Amino acid sequence: MHVARRWAAILFVLVVPFVAGCGGRDRAQSVSIKGSDTMVILGQKWSDEYMKAHPGAVVAITGGGSGTGIAQLINGTTDIAQSSRPMKDAEKQKAQEQGGGAVEEHAVARDGVTVYVHAANPVATISMEQLKGVYTGTITSWKDLGGPDRPIIVYSRENNSGTYVFFKEHVLGGADFVERAQTLPGTAAVVNAVTQDVNGIGYGGIAYSGGIKRLGVLGADGTPVEPTEETIRSGAYPLSRPLYWYVSAKAPPAAHALLAWVLSPAGQAHVTEVGYFPIR
Protein backbone atom coordinates (compact mmCIF):
# COMPACT_ATOMS: atom_id res chain seq x y z
CA MET A 1 0.00 0.00 0.00
CA HIS A 2 2.82 2.37 0.89
CA VAL A 3 4.52 1.68 -2.46
CA ALA A 4 1.26 2.28 -4.32
CA ARG A 5 0.73 5.59 -2.53
CA ARG A 6 4.31 6.65 -3.25
CA TRP A 7 3.94 5.98 -7.00
CA ALA A 8 0.55 7.73 -7.04
CA ALA A 9 2.18 10.79 -5.48
CA ILE A 10 5.00 10.72 -8.01
CA LEU A 11 2.56 10.41 -10.92
CA PHE A 12 0.48 13.31 -9.57
CA VAL A 13 3.56 15.55 -9.41
CA LEU A 14 4.50 14.64 -12.97
CA VAL A 15 1.06 14.78 -14.57
CA VAL A 16 -0.35 17.96 -13.05
CA PRO A 17 2.39 20.28 -14.37
CA PHE A 18 2.08 18.63 -17.79
CA VAL A 19 -1.70 19.22 -17.91
CA ALA A 20 -1.31 22.75 -16.63
CA GLY A 21 1.33 23.42 -19.26
CA CYS A 22 -0.94 22.08 -22.02
CA GLY A 23 -3.81 24.21 -20.79
CA GLY A 24 -1.57 27.26 -20.83
CA ARG A 25 -0.55 26.61 -24.41
CA ASP A 26 -4.19 26.14 -25.47
CA ARG A 27 -5.23 29.40 -23.82
CA ALA A 28 -2.30 31.22 -25.40
CA GLN A 29 -3.39 30.02 -28.85
CA SER A 30 -7.15 30.49 -28.40
CA VAL A 31 -9.11 33.27 -30.13
CA SER A 32 -12.75 34.26 -29.67
CA ILE A 33 -14.73 35.88 -32.50
CA LYS A 34 -18.23 37.26 -32.04
CA GLY A 35 -20.68 39.38 -33.99
CA SER A 36 -22.21 39.58 -37.44
CA ASP A 37 -24.69 36.85 -38.41
CA THR A 38 -24.06 37.82 -42.04
CA MET A 39 -20.40 36.91 -41.57
CA VAL A 40 -20.73 33.87 -39.31
CA ILE A 41 -20.40 31.37 -42.17
CA LEU A 42 -17.29 33.18 -43.40
CA GLY A 43 -15.79 33.35 -39.93
CA GLN A 44 -16.51 29.66 -39.42
CA LYS A 45 -14.80 28.79 -42.70
CA TRP A 46 -11.75 30.80 -41.74
CA SER A 47 -11.60 29.31 -38.26
CA ASP A 48 -11.88 25.74 -39.60
CA GLU A 49 -9.16 26.24 -42.21
CA TYR A 50 -6.88 28.11 -39.81
CA MET A 51 -7.06 25.37 -37.20
CA LYS A 52 -6.27 22.77 -39.88
CA ALA A 53 -3.19 24.73 -40.93
CA HIS A 54 -2.12 25.62 -37.38
CA PRO A 55 -2.30 22.61 -35.04
CA GLY A 56 -2.90 23.73 -31.47
CA ALA A 57 -4.80 26.86 -32.42
CA VAL A 58 -8.35 27.12 -31.06
CA VAL A 59 -10.79 29.56 -32.66
CA ALA A 60 -14.32 29.88 -31.25
CA ILE A 61 -16.92 31.82 -33.27
CA THR A 62 -20.47 32.88 -32.46
CA GLY A 63 -22.99 35.20 -34.12
CA GLY A 64 -25.58 37.40 -32.46
CA GLY A 65 -25.29 40.45 -34.70
CA SER A 66 -22.69 43.12 -35.38
CA GLY A 67 -23.90 45.22 -32.47
CA THR A 68 -23.44 42.30 -30.11
CA GLY A 69 -19.89 41.65 -31.33
CA ILE A 70 -18.94 45.30 -31.01
CA ALA A 71 -20.42 45.52 -27.50
CA GLN A 72 -18.42 42.47 -26.44
CA LEU A 73 -15.23 43.91 -27.94
CA ILE A 74 -15.85 47.06 -25.92
CA ASN A 75 -16.31 45.15 -22.65
CA GLY A 76 -13.39 42.83 -23.35
CA THR A 77 -15.28 39.55 -23.71
CA THR A 78 -14.16 38.83 -27.27
CA ASP A 79 -10.85 39.16 -29.08
CA ILE A 80 -12.31 39.99 -32.49
CA ALA A 81 -15.64 41.54 -33.47
CA GLN A 82 -17.06 40.69 -36.87
CA SER A 83 -19.22 43.48 -38.25
CA SER A 84 -21.11 44.13 -41.46
CA ARG A 85 -21.20 47.85 -40.70
CA PRO A 86 -18.44 50.28 -39.73
CA MET A 87 -17.77 50.67 -36.04
CA LYS A 88 -18.69 54.17 -34.84
CA ASP A 89 -16.03 56.53 -33.52
CA ALA A 90 -17.85 56.71 -30.19
CA GLU A 91 -17.73 52.91 -29.93
CA LYS A 92 -14.00 52.86 -30.66
CA GLN A 93 -13.44 55.56 -28.06
CA LYS A 94 -15.43 53.64 -25.47
CA ALA A 95 -13.41 50.49 -26.12
CA GLN A 96 -10.17 52.40 -25.60
CA GLU A 97 -11.46 54.07 -22.43
CA GLN A 98 -12.30 50.66 -20.97
CA GLY A 99 -8.69 49.57 -21.29
CA GLY A 100 -8.73 47.55 -24.49
CA GLY A 101 -6.38 49.86 -26.35
CA ALA A 102 -6.91 51.43 -29.76
CA VAL A 103 -9.32 49.52 -31.98
CA GLU A 104 -7.96 48.45 -35.35
CA GLU A 105 -10.39 48.32 -38.30
CA HIS A 106 -9.73 45.81 -41.07
CA ALA A 107 -11.90 45.24 -44.13
CA VAL A 108 -11.65 41.48 -44.66
CA ALA A 109 -14.12 40.74 -47.48
CA ARG A 110 -16.60 42.33 -49.88
CA ASP A 111 -20.36 41.86 -49.96
CA GLY A 112 -23.38 43.21 -51.75
CA VAL A 113 -26.61 43.48 -49.76
CA THR A 114 -29.03 41.46 -51.86
CA VAL A 115 -32.78 41.91 -52.24
CA TYR A 116 -34.51 38.53 -52.00
CA VAL A 117 -37.91 37.55 -53.40
CA HIS A 118 -39.65 34.21 -53.91
CA ALA A 119 -38.41 32.23 -56.91
CA ALA A 120 -41.89 32.42 -58.51
CA ASN A 121 -42.08 36.22 -58.26
CA PRO A 122 -42.11 37.74 -61.79
CA VAL A 123 -40.53 41.04 -60.66
CA ALA A 124 -36.88 41.18 -61.76
CA THR A 125 -35.63 44.64 -60.78
CA ILE A 126 -36.26 47.35 -58.23
CA SER A 127 -35.03 50.92 -57.86
CA MET A 128 -33.56 52.31 -54.66
CA GLU A 129 -36.58 54.63 -54.33
CA GLN A 130 -38.99 51.72 -54.74
CA LEU A 131 -37.04 49.68 -52.20
CA LYS A 132 -37.29 52.56 -49.75
CA GLY A 133 -41.03 52.75 -50.41
CA VAL A 134 -41.48 49.05 -49.70
CA TYR A 135 -39.58 49.22 -46.41
CA THR A 136 -41.12 52.49 -45.19
CA GLY A 137 -44.64 51.36 -46.11
CA THR A 138 -45.57 53.71 -48.96
CA ILE A 139 -45.53 50.81 -51.45
CA THR A 140 -47.66 47.91 -50.30
CA SER A 141 -48.55 45.88 -53.43
CA TRP A 142 -46.44 43.98 -55.94
CA LYS A 143 -48.65 45.61 -58.59
CA ASP A 144 -46.82 48.88 -57.94
CA LEU A 145 -43.57 47.15 -58.90
CA GLY A 146 -44.86 45.54 -62.09
CA GLY A 147 -45.98 42.31 -60.44
CA PRO A 148 -49.32 40.78 -59.48
CA ASP A 149 -51.92 42.56 -57.38
CA ARG A 150 -50.85 40.96 -54.10
CA PRO A 151 -49.68 42.45 -50.80
CA ILE A 152 -45.94 42.74 -50.16
CA ILE A 153 -44.88 40.91 -47.01
CA VAL A 154 -41.81 42.66 -45.63
CA TYR A 155 -39.04 40.78 -43.81
CA SER A 156 -36.18 42.57 -42.08
CA ARG A 157 -33.33 42.04 -39.62
CA GLU A 158 -33.27 42.99 -35.96
CA ASN A 159 -31.83 46.36 -35.00
CA ASN A 160 -28.62 44.90 -33.54
CA SER A 161 -27.72 43.72 -37.06
CA GLY A 162 -25.08 45.58 -39.01
CA THR A 163 -27.02 44.80 -42.18
CA TYR A 164 -30.10 46.43 -40.64
CA VAL A 165 -28.04 49.56 -39.89
CA PHE A 166 -26.52 49.57 -43.39
CA PHE A 167 -29.95 49.20 -45.03
CA LYS A 168 -31.50 51.89 -42.84
CA GLU A 169 -28.72 54.35 -43.72
CA HIS A 170 -28.19 53.55 -47.41
CA VAL A 171 -31.71 52.65 -48.52
CA LEU A 172 -34.07 54.37 -46.11
CA GLY A 173 -31.94 57.46 -45.64
CA GLY A 174 -32.38 57.15 -41.88
CA ALA A 175 -36.19 56.79 -42.04
CA ASP A 176 -37.95 54.21 -39.89
CA PHE A 177 -38.87 50.76 -41.11
CA VAL A 178 -42.59 50.14 -41.58
CA GLU A 179 -44.10 48.80 -38.35
CA ARG A 180 -45.50 45.68 -40.03
CA ALA A 181 -42.04 44.53 -41.11
CA GLN A 182 -41.34 41.11 -39.62
CA THR A 183 -37.93 41.18 -37.95
CA LEU A 184 -35.92 37.97 -37.93
CA PRO A 185 -32.77 37.06 -35.98
CA GLY A 186 -30.44 36.22 -38.88
CA THR A 187 -30.01 36.35 -42.63
CA ALA A 188 -30.62 32.62 -42.93
CA ALA A 189 -34.00 33.14 -41.24
CA VAL A 190 -34.88 35.91 -43.72
CA VAL A 191 -33.98 33.70 -46.68
CA ASN A 192 -35.96 30.82 -45.23
CA ALA A 193 -39.03 33.02 -44.75
CA VAL A 194 -38.92 34.35 -48.32
CA THR A 195 -38.49 30.88 -49.82
CA GLN A 196 -41.81 29.96 -48.18
CA ASP A 197 -43.70 33.17 -48.92
CA VAL A 198 -44.56 33.97 -52.55
CA ASN A 199 -45.39 37.55 -51.49
CA GLY A 200 -42.28 38.05 -49.38
CA ILE A 201 -39.29 40.35 -49.77
CA GLY A 202 -36.13 40.41 -47.69
CA TYR A 203 -32.51 41.54 -47.74
CA GLY A 204 -29.14 40.28 -46.59
CA GLY A 205 -25.63 39.22 -47.59
CA ILE A 206 -25.02 37.79 -51.04
CA ALA A 207 -23.74 34.49 -49.65
CA TYR A 208 -27.22 33.66 -48.34
CA SER A 209 -29.15 33.13 -51.53
CA GLY A 210 -30.21 29.49 -51.77
CA GLY A 211 -33.75 28.91 -53.00
CA ILE A 212 -34.66 32.55 -53.63
CA LYS A 213 -34.49 35.02 -56.52
CA ARG A 214 -32.23 38.07 -56.39
CA LEU A 215 -33.57 41.36 -57.73
CA GLY A 216 -31.36 43.58 -59.84
CA VAL A 217 -31.10 47.07 -58.34
CA LEU A 218 -31.31 50.07 -60.66
CA GLY A 219 -28.14 52.13 -60.73
CA ALA A 220 -27.92 55.92 -60.88
CA ASP A 221 -28.47 55.83 -64.67
CA GLY A 222 -31.54 53.62 -64.37
CA THR A 223 -29.77 50.50 -65.61
CA PRO A 224 -30.40 47.29 -63.64
CA VAL A 225 -27.28 46.10 -61.86
CA GLU A 226 -26.97 42.51 -60.67
CA PRO A 227 -24.89 41.74 -57.57
CA THR A 228 -21.80 40.03 -59.03
CA GLU A 229 -18.13 40.00 -58.10
CA GLU A 230 -17.37 42.58 -60.82
CA THR A 231 -20.16 45.01 -59.84
CA ILE A 232 -19.54 44.62 -56.11
CA ARG A 233 -15.78 45.07 -56.37
CA SER A 234 -16.19 48.12 -58.63
CA GLY A 235 -18.97 49.62 -56.53
CA ALA A 236 -21.36 49.71 -59.50
CA TYR A 237 -23.84 47.67 -57.50
CA PRO A 238 -25.59 50.29 -55.32
CA LEU A 239 -25.54 48.16 -52.16
CA SER A 240 -21.88 47.11 -52.24
CA ARG A 241 -20.05 47.17 -48.92
CA PRO A 242 -16.96 45.88 -47.11
CA LEU A 243 -17.18 43.43 -44.22
CA TYR A 244 -15.01 44.13 -41.18
CA TRP A 245 -12.99 42.61 -38.39
CA TYR A 246 -12.29 44.80 -35.38
CA VAL A 247 -9.51 43.91 -32.96
CA SER A 248 -7.95 45.74 -30.04
CA ALA A 249 -4.29 46.67 -30.30
CA LYS A 250 -3.95 44.90 -26.93
CA ALA A 251 -5.57 41.68 -28.14
CA PRO A 252 -3.55 38.47 -27.64
CA PRO A 253 -0.85 37.71 -30.24
CA ALA A 254 -2.94 34.74 -31.39
CA ALA A 255 -5.72 37.11 -32.52
CA HIS A 256 -3.29 39.23 -34.54
CA ALA A 257 -1.75 36.11 -36.06
CA LEU A 258 -5.20 34.91 -37.16
CA LEU A 259 -6.00 38.34 -38.61
CA ALA A 260 -2.73 38.38 -40.59
CA TRP A 261 -3.59 34.95 -42.02
CA VAL A 262 -7.14 36.06 -42.95
CA LEU A 263 -5.72 39.00 -44.90
CA SER A 264 -3.05 36.86 -46.58
CA PRO A 265 -3.58 35.14 -49.96
CA ALA A 266 -4.14 31.87 -48.06
CA GLY A 267 -6.99 33.32 -46.00
CA GLN A 268 -8.53 35.35 -48.80
CA ALA A 269 -8.64 32.26 -51.01
CA HIS A 270 -11.46 30.91 -48.82
CA VAL A 271 -13.74 33.96 -49.12
CA THR A 272 -15.33 32.97 -52.43
CA GLU A 273 -15.93 29.45 -51.14
CA VAL A 274 -18.77 30.74 -48.96
CA GLY A 275 -20.14 33.26 -51.47
CA TYR A 276 -18.42 36.56 -50.64
CA PHE A 277 -15.52 38.20 -52.47
CA PRO A 278 -11.88 38.88 -51.49
CA ILE A 279 -10.98 42.32 -50.25
CA ARG A 280 -7.75 42.36 -52.28
Coordinates of all heavy atoms in Angstrom, one line a residue, residues 45 47 56 65 67 114 128 154 158 202 214 216 219 235 254 257:
K45 N -15.7 29.4 -41.7 CA -14.8 28.8 -42.7 C -13.4 29.1 -42.4 O -12.5 28.3 -42.4 CB -15.2 29.3 -44.1 CG -14.3 28.8 -45.2 CD -14.5 27.3 -45.4 CE -13.7 26.8 -46.6 NZ -13.8 25.3 -46.8
S47 N -12.1 30.0 -39.5 CA -11.6 29.3 -38.3 C -11.3 27.8 -38.5 O -10.3 27.3 -38.0 CB -12.6 29.4 -37.1 OG -13.8 28.7 -37.4
G56 N -3.0 23.1 -32.8 CA -2.9 23.7 -31.5 C -3.7 25.0 -31.3 O -4.1 25.4 -30.2
G65 N -25.1 39.1 -34.1 CA -25.3 40.5 -34.7 C -24.1 41.3 -34.5 O -23.3 41.1 -33.6
G67 N -23.8 44.4 -33.7 CA -23.9 45.2 -32.5 C -23.5 44.4 -31.3 O -22.8 45.0 -30.4
T114 N -28.2 42.0 -50.8 CA -29.0 41.5 -51.9 C -30.5 41.5 -51.5 O -30.9 41.3 -50.3 CB -28.7 40.0 -52.1 OG1 -27.2 39.9 -52.4 CG2 -29.4 39.4 -53.3
M128 N -33.8 52.0 -56.1 CA -33.6 52.3 -54.7 C -34.8 53.0 -54.1 O -35.1 52.8 -52.9 CB -32.3 53.2 -54.6 CG -31.0 52.5 -54.9 SD -30.5 51.3 -53.7 CE -29.8 52.4 -52.5
V154 N -43.1 42.1 -45.8 CA -41.8 42.7 -45.6 C -41.1 41.9 -44.5 O -41.6 41.8 -43.4 CB -41.9 44.2 -45.3 CG1 -40.5 44.7 -45.0 CG2 -42.6 44.9 -46.4
E158 N -33.1 42.3 -37.2 CA -33.3 43.0 -36.0 C -32.3 44.2 -35.9 O -31.3 44.2 -36.6 CB -33.0 42.0 -34.8 CG -34.0 40.9 -34.7 CD -33.7 39.9 -33.6 OE1 -32.5 39.6 -33.5 OE2 -34.7 39.5 -33.0
G202 N -37.1 40.3 -48.8 CA -36.1 40.4 -47.7 C -34.8 40.9 -48.2 O -34.6 41.2 -49.4
R214 N -32.8 36.8 -56.7 CA -32.2 38.1 -56.4 C -32.8 39.1 -57.4 O -32.8 38.9 -58.6 CB -30.7 38.0 -56.5 CG -30.0 37.1 -55.6 CD -28.5 37.0 -56.0 NE -27.8 36.1 -55.2 CZ -26.6 35.6 -55.6 NH1 -26.0 36.0 -56.7 NH2 -25.9 34.8 -54.8
G216 N -32.3 42.6 -59.4 CA -31.4 43.6 -59.8 C -31.8 44.9 -59.3 O -33.0 45.2 -59.1
G219 N -29.2 51.2 -61.0 CA -28.1 52.1 -60.7 C -28.6 53.6 -60.9 O -29.7 53.9 -61.3
G235 N -18.0 48.7 -57.2 CA -19.0 49.6 -56.5 C -20.1 50.0 -57.4 O -21.0 50.8 -57.0
A254 N -2.2 35.7 -30.6 CA -2.9 34.7 -31.4 C -4.0 35.4 -32.3 O -4.2 35.0 -33.4 CB -3.6 33.7 -30.5
A257 N -2.3 37.1 -35.1 CA -1.7 36.1 -36.1 C -2.9 35.6 -37.0 O -2.7 35.4 -38.2 CB -1.1 34.9 -35.3

